[in-house]
Amino acid sequence: MLLKMTTGLSGPDFNLAPGDTHEFDDDEAGRLIEAAFAEKADVPDAAPAEKRKKGKANVVSTEGNAGAE
């Protein structure tokens, strides 16, 4: 279960600060929620990723550039 930490928590495999999210097994997640160390993380709906243009943005100004049209 994905949890959002309300307090800091460290272990041999993680070091979590308040606001961090981490996947825990259901038993451990239940204990952490009951102890008020964490709450269920809101999982946003998977939206399709926007397509990005490949390549670099045109960041060169054409002002004062005699070679540009």
Side-chain angles (χ1 to χ4, degrees), residues 28-49:
E28 184 67 12
R31 286 191 287 271
L32 291 170
I33 292 170
E34 189 163 325
F37 287 172
E39 56 192 27
K40 276 188 172 181
D42 293 330
V43 180
D45 293 335

Side-chain angles (χ1 to χ4, degrees), residues 20-31:
D20 288 350
T21 57
H22 187 73
E23 187 74 29
F24 291 95
D25 64 58
D26 289 343
D27 291 337
E28 184 67 12
R31 286 191 287 271

Side-chain angles (χ1 to χ4, degrees), residues 6-63:
T6 57
T7 62
L9 181 67
S10 295
D13 298 325
F14 52 83
N15 184 12
L16 304 170
D20 288 350
T21 57
H22 187 73
E23 187 74 29
F24 291 95
D25 64 58
D26 289 343
D27 291 337
E28 184 67 12
R31 286 191 287 271
L32 291 170
I33 292 170
E34 189 163 325
F37 287 172
E39 56 192 27
K40 276 188 172 181
D42 293 330
V43 180
D45 293 335
E50 292 183 25
K51 292 184 179 181
R52 292 186 177 197
K53 290 184 179 180
K54 291 188 177 186
K56 295 183 179 180
N58 185 7
V59 295
V60 178
S61 173
T62 59
E63 289 182 31

